[in-house]
Amino acid sequence: AGRVERVEASFVGWAAPPKAPSWLRESGLRLDERDLIRVDRFLRSVSHPFAFVAGDLAQNADQPWPRAGVYA
């Protein structure tokens, strides 16, 4: 059976609409031209390495991904 590990977080966000929510522009996170959060290959924000982002709000800074739920 798989092992479950818990990780404490002070904030967990969920965004389901097809475009980035407007509050991201005021978050201080580095965004791309479509207001998606720029991440490195480990899904860490390039401006805030303690913040991890997955799904369609994340955009790889080095190799852009297509917008599709399969990357979530």
Side-chain angles (χ1 to χ4, degrees):
R3 191 179 119 192
V4 176
E5 183 176 334
R6 293 182 185 266
V7 177
E8 287 191 39
S10 58
F11 174 80
V12 175
W14 175 287
K19 67 180 245 176
S22 60
W23 62 263
L24 279 179
R25 279 181 249 122
E26 299 170 12
S27 70
L29 296 165
R30 185 170 299 157
L31 308 177
D32 72 1
E33 65 281 349
R34 294 179 294 172
D35 293 334
L36 302 174
I37 303 168
R38 293 179 58 93
V39 298
D40 65 15
R41 64 189 182 114
F42 301 108
L43 301 179
R44 293 180 302 210
S45 162
V46 296
S47 60
H48 296 76
F50 54 84
F52 290 82
V53 184
D56 283 343
L57 282 184
Q59 184 56 269
N60 187 309
D62 298 321
Q63 182 181 12
W65 298 312
R67 308 294 356 124
V70 297
Y71 290 95

